[in-house]
Amino acid sequence: MEETREVLLSTMEMGEADRLTIEAGLQGRQLMEAAGQSIARIILEKLNPGRTLVLCGPGNNGGDGFVVARALKENGWPVTVTLMGTKDRLKGDARLMADLWDGEIQPLAEEGLGDYDIIVDGLFGAGLDRPLEGALLDIVRAANDSNARKVAIDVPSGLSGDSGLVLGGCLEADLTVTFFRRKPGHLLYPGKALCGDLYVTDIGISGRVLDEIGAQTWLNSPAVWGELFPVPSPAGHKYSRGHSVVVSGDLAHTGASRLAAGAALRIGSGLVSVACAPEAVPAHAAQLTAVMIRSYQSPEQFADYLADHRLNAWCIGPANGVTNETRNRVLAILAAGKQAVLDADAITVFRDRPEELFAAIGSDDRKNMSREVVLTPHAGEFGRLFPDLMEGTYGFDRLKGARTAAERSGAVLLLKGPDTVVVSPDGRAVIMDDAPADLATAGSGDVLSGLVTGLLAQGMPAFEAASAAVWLHAEAARVFGAGLTAEDISPSLPTVLEKLREKLH
Ligand SMILES: NC(=O)C1=CN([C@@H]2O[C@H](COP(=O)(O)OP(=O)(O)OC[C@H]3O[C@@H](n4cnc5c(N)ncnc54)[C@H](O)[C@@H]3O)[C@@H](O)[C@H]2O)[C@@H](O)CC1
Ligand SMILES: Nc1ncnc2c1ncn2[C@@H]1O[C@H](COP(=O)(O)OP(=O)(O)O)[C@@H](O)[C@H]1O
Ligand SMILES: [K+]
């Protein structure tokens, strides 16, 4: 595939990229000059000339601000520069750029912030290390209240580039320009919404530094998992494409399992069965055709199904009920060494004893068989298994939380939301960007679980299967467009799959 994966760099990794580039011979001030010039170029291209205020902070983000101010002034724009603190306290390249600014430098103040057409935010970037407070917070709020177009350098001030969380308060940018590669905070909410339109510019850092940095976070795209995506083999048969089983809820709660089963079939699982109690059979039978029905009366009968090695990927949880039966079935599926997708009630049912679940996932038997498990919580379900990971000072750090959760549980963690994150216990992570909000509809999560299950059944490794499912789910919703209901997702998949195949070959 010609497409390469888009790596997302943490603040530390970006610092490393800068360091390696400087070590290789480029000077820090050249990087800063390139950074500032690239922002000015975008401003000149995207915005109409107007009264411009540049807010400069005490670090290199402020240094970039001085470069932007100079470049815009050279283009004839009326530019005012304000600085937090005094020039003599600036260091290194930032001091150098401040010296190259030949205009006045005013002290940073709230007054007059409403008088500009454009505000360039060079207060804090990667160096933000504490919340915005006091006068600074007032200034950022006044900027937000003004009618000016706001341009953030690297990240809007107050936003963590690592988590997308806000520290105290944050500039609400119309446009953000970052350098070399995007950062997770540009994709994770609320960060994504606070960045406005995002631009990534080349400031002379070579992509080769990435080999040395070894970052583990990527944009979710076929470039990450495409090579492992299952395509039916010409000589294959349905049995070689796996057999998915979805555990149904009781008679009044059968729909979720049908949505998941339909998705598993559509994504290419050779066979799909719904496993249900006898009283639910008529409800399923009235609606299912290609999907088979397996009823079980007792735990022993359920165990019989588990003993069949052909039934290789199991999905349990959607509308299953938070009951002892659900808990016992989850444990039985794990003990049988099945690949499994645990969703909804299969997660909630372990809220009082998550360790029991983690022990079952991480048992030596399962490890020896390399059988993988995918947990697919939304934030609420995540909090039931990992309450401590939701209690960050600045809110729930989804990426970090999911990483720790994957490591702790031994499962691939698929954390749902507008910025769905998938993390492998080995630390690899992908973040989905721009999933249509139409997906926030009843049953759409059930479809997603079915997609993961169907890919596991076909032999795709769990991290890649979960990532691919999230991407396909979003793309199918995009193809369908407005008015989406969960039932529409699977029927929209063929168009997406067709395009994907063209891309993969
Ligand atoms: N490292 C490099 O070589 C390059 C860095 N660049 C720019 O440099 C930025 C990072 O620069 P720095 O590491 O100097 O960090 P910043 O300029 O983002 O901020 C660091 C300064 O802000 C203070 N600070 C942090 N949070 C604060 C808060 N809440 N309230 C008050 N003060 C606070 C710190 O004490 C420190 O003095 C990047 O975001 C980018 O804009 C670019 O020039 C490209 C090259
Ligand atoms: N604002 C949003 N933008 C994009 N996708 C969203 C948004 N909100 C939710 N989703 C997605 O919709 C699905 C909802 O799943 P879930 O919460 O399990 O709902 P349900 O249980 O009704 O199926 C998930 O895939 C989630 O990532
Ligand atoms: K900034």
Side-chain angles (χ1 to χ4, degrees):
M1 255 194 341
E2 79 280 5
E3 210 183 334
T4 51
R5 317 187 270 188
E6 180 188 336
V7 75
L8 305 169
L9 292 179
S10 71
T11 302
M12 248 171 66
E13 288 160 349
M14 182 62 193
E16 190 65 2
D18 287 333
R19 195 185 61 72
L20 290 167
T21 306
I22 291 167
E23 228 173 66
L26 214 66
Q27 290 178 318
R29 68 179 162 83
Q30 289 175 301
L31 286 176
M32 191 175 279
E33 183 68 25
Q37 291 291 347
S38 73
I39 299 160
R41 237 182 355 261
I42 287 170
I43 293 176
L44 291 166
E45 199 181 298
K46 305 286 172 198
L47 304 180
N48 294 323
R51 291 160 303 167
T52 303
L53 173 68
V54 182
L55 309 173
C56 294
N60 288 333
N61 201 249
D64 294 348
F66 280 104
V67 179
V68 177
R70 169 159 45 85
L72 292 179
K73 192 179 171 199
E74 281 167 7
N75 276 274
W77 287 33
V79 181
T80 303
V81 171
T82 61
L83 174 64
M84 180 181 156
T86 52
K87 193 169 104 169
D88 56 294
R89 293 187 61 186
L90 295 179
K91 294 191 198 78
D93 300 327
R95 174 61 195 260
L96 196 92
M97 294 310 175
D99 285 338
L100 288 177
W101 167 247
D102 62 3
E104 199 188 329
I105 300 177
Q106 298 180 9
L108 188 67
E110 192 186 332
E111 289 74 42
L113 268 175
D115 301 340
Y116 295 90
D117 303 307
I118 295 157
I119 295 177
V120 179
D121 160 30
L123 286 174
F124 310 108
L128 182 81
D129 58 5
R130 52 192 186 275
L132 301 192
E133 285 170 345
L136 260 175
L137 197 54
D138 294 338
I139 286 165
V140 163
R141 286 192 180 135
N144 288 342
D145 289 344
S146 78
N147 292 324
R149 306 277 288 164
K150 289 168 279 293
V151 180
I153 301 179
D154 198 8
V155 281
S157 293
L159 182 71
S160 156
D162 289 338
S163 66
L165 295 177
V166 168
L167 279 62
C170 185
L171 186 105
E172 294 160 13
D174 296 294
L175 199 156
T176 295
V177 184
T178 193
F179 317 117
F180 184 49
R181 291 292 183 272
R182 290 196 274 182
K183 317 297 174 308
H186 293 130
L187 282 72
L188 295 166
Y189 280 90
K192 185 178 168 71
L194 292 164
C195 289
D197 297 335
L198 185 73
Y199 296 87
V200 184
T201 63
D202 174 3
I203 59 168
I205 300 176
S206 159
R208 282 195 295 275
V209 300
L210 294 174
D211 297 336
E212 200 153 331
I213 295 169
Q216 292 279 297
T217 309
W218 299 274
L219 172 74
N220 188 346
S221 86
V224 175
W225 43 260
E227 277 178 16
L228 293 166
F229 193 79
V231 179
S233 140
H237 46 77
K238 65 184 177 194
Y239 300 107
S240 59
R241 299 178 70 189
H243 190 153
S244 307
V245 183
V246 181
V247 178
S248 169
D250 64 22
L251 178 57
H253 301 93
T254 59
S257 58
R258 277 196 301 279
L259 282 170
L265 193 64
R266 182 71 76 174
I267 199 68
S269 181
L271 300 97
V272 179
S273 297
V274 158
C276 63
E279 41 305 354
V281 169
H284 283 304
Q287 306 213 43
L288 292 175
T289 39
V291 172
M292 296 174 285
I293 301 167
R294 288 169 184 256
S295 77
Y296 57 87
Q297 198 113 42
S298 61
E300 290 70 33
Q301 237 177 331
F302 191 76
D304 285 345
Y305 291 142
L306 285 171
D308 185 340
H309 72 275
R310 295 169 303 179
L311 310 183
N312 63 336
W314 287 62
C315 172
I316 179 162
N320 280 192
V322 182
T323 61
N324 266 338
E325 286 74 28
T326 298
R327 194 178 133 272
N328 292 337
R329 279 176 205 134
V330 172
L331 294 174
I333 289 170
L334 294 173
K338 298 295 182 185
Q339 307 181 89
V341 176
L342 311 185
D343 185 28
D345 296 340
I347 294 173
T348 302
V349 77
F350 288 96
R351 69 190 311 167
D352 296 326
R353 27 188 172 168
E355 302 74 27
E356 185 181 20
L357 174 63
F358 306 156
I361 293 172
S363 74
D364 289 343
D365 280 357
R366 294 186 54 83
K367 275 192 204 137
N368 293 339
M369 290 186 281
S370 323
R371 295 291 199 270
E372 295 181 286
V373 173
V374 181
L375 295 174
T376 61
H378 52 57
E381 288 154 355
F382 184 93
R384 290 174 199 145
L385 289 190
F386 310 99
D388 57 312
L389 301 182
M390 297 196 71
E391 291 164 1
T393 316
Y394 307 110
F396 176 27
D397 183 335
R398 293 167 57 81
L399 181 58
K400 192 170 158 206
R403 270 211 165 96
T404 312
E407 201 190 335
R408 188 183 293 173
S409 65
V412 167
L413 219 300
L414 188 167
L415 177 56
K416 292 182 281 195
D419 45 7
T420 298
V421 171
V422 180
V423 185
S424 157
D426 63 21
R428 287 174 298 151
V430 292
I431 304 176
M432 185 69 203
D433 191 27
D434 275 338
D438 305 271
L439 281 172
T441 176
S444 117
D446 308 328
V447 174
L448 179 63
S449 300
L451 293 177
V452 183
T453 310
L455 290 171
L456 287 178
Q458 294 169 80
M460 200 175 186
F463 171 68
E464 285 80 4
S467 305
V470 168
W471 187 88
L472 291 162
H473 189 240
E475 291 307 313
R478 206 184 315 285
V479 163
F480 186 87
L484 181 89
T485 70
E487 283 92 342
D488 302 318
I489 302 173
S490 288
S492 304
L493 264 179
T495 317
V496 181
L497 289 172
E498 198 61 45
K499 277 207 194 113
L500 178 65
R501 277 193 200 177
E502 281 167 21
K503 216 174 188 175
L504 296 178
H505 293 285

